[in-house]
Amino acid sequence: MQSGREKAYAFLKETVLTDPDMQGRFLTEQEIADRIGISRTPIREALLLLAAEDLVQLVPKRGAHIAPLSGREITELMELRGIVERHAAETAIEQRKVPVEKLTELLERQRGLSGPEHAKEFIAVDHLFHATMVAAVGNELLNRHYEGLRSRQIRAGVVALYNRIGRQEAVLAEHQAILDAVASGDPEAARTAISGHLESTLKVLLAG
């Protein structure tokens, strides 16, 4: 059973921080406690954990500020994702560990999540698509490091969908290119497809 702190941490990280409407807002401990039905102490503990991860900023007498991702943060996130994801694809191809069936299944799930009402779920599956490739390498430290990017990755992805009409269709095409490359065992094509996908996302995000 989850502790109050774990419940609050999961709710804030998975539900609140990934909501585009919450970007730039202040949250109070009481507001969060009322929403999830637990006392303020575990809320405070969860917010301290999130502040340590630089996901919220605690401001005296105002609460927790959910700052929108800055251009620098977005650029650095995409740079780091590129390093990890290209390495994972190349290694999975080299070791013949490409999880083609799972990647195909996730891409099909994404195809069924069109429309703004499915944006968060679409991006959650988007993360799983990339995380599945990273996990296939079998490096637990690398896997945990990549999972640590999940909240920022989902926040950025949801914002990108809201910023650009047709972005969902573009993401599906970009994911198909990645899948085709790794399934065919072509590391150069995989690197190119991954870089193109991340560069397209970066351009959408920086364009606002």
Side-chain angles (χ1 to χ4, degrees):
M1 180 180 291
Q2 282 186 318
S3 68
R5 181 182 68 181
E6 290 169 337
K7 183 178 179 181
Y9 178 84
F11 173 78
L12 287 164
K13 197 165 187 179
E14 304 299 328
T15 303
V16 176
L17 294 181
T18 57
D19 184 347
D21 291 336
M22 298 302 296
Q23 308 307 303
R25 280 197 53 192
F26 280 90
L27 288 173
T28 66
E29 293 172 10
Q30 190 60 55
E31 178 184 355
I32 303 164
D34 290 342
R35 287 182 67 176
I36 58 179
I38 60 177
S39 67
R40 291 173 58 179
T41 298
I43 301 292
R44 187 176 305 117
E45 293 171 350
L47 288 172
L48 286 170
L49 290 174
L50 293 170
E53 296 178 45
D54 203 27
L55 293 173
V56 300
Q57 299 166 351
L58 300 182
V59 181
K61 299 182 180 180
R62 296 204 64 184
H65 184 234
I66 305 175
L69 291 172
S70 67
R72 177 178 176 178
E73 284 179 293
I74 292 167
T75 301
E76 290 177 351
L77 172 64
M78 295 304 161
E79 181 180 357
L80 186 52
R81 281 188 57 190
I83 292 169
V84 174
E85 291 176 23
R86 284 188 293 267
H87 167 75
E90 291 171 9
T91 304
I93 290 170
E94 180 184 337
Q95 298 177 353
R96 298 185 179 180
K97 291 182 177 179
V98 177
V100 175
E101 186 175 332
K102 182 63 176 176
L103 293 173
T104 301
E105 175 193 325
L106 289 168
L107 185 51
E108 287 308 307
R109 278 179 61 188
Q110 271 197 303
R111 292 191 197 282
L113 295 169
S114 62
E117 68 275 15
H118 296 301
K120 285 180 66 175
E121 189 178 355
F122 182 95
I123 293 300
V125 178
D126 183 292
H127 172 79
L128 281 175
F129 180 89
H130 295 286
T132 295
M133 179 64 73
V134 174
V137 174
N139 184 323
E140 287 303 315
L141 281 176
L142 184 67
N143 198 37
R144 287 202 296 271
H145 175 73
Y146 189 78
E147 280 301 309
L149 303 176
R150 184 175 185 274
S151 180
R152 286 183 174 86
Q153 184 175 337
I154 291 178
R155 285 173 69 188
V158 172
V159 170
L161 293 190
Y162 277 86
N163 281 359
R164 179 70 56 87
I165 295 172
R167 182 58 192 154
Q168 282 180 317
E169 291 77 10
V171 167
L172 292 171
E174 291 160 14
H175 279 189
Q176 186 67 61
I178 294 170
L179 176 55
D180 290 345
V182 295
S184 67
D186 187 337
E188 182 59 37
R191 285 193 297 269
T192 299
I194 290 167
S195 295
H197 175 49
L198 297 176
E199 286 167 9
S200 294
T201 303
L202 178 61
K203 287 178 182 177
V204 171
L205 289 165
L206 293 183

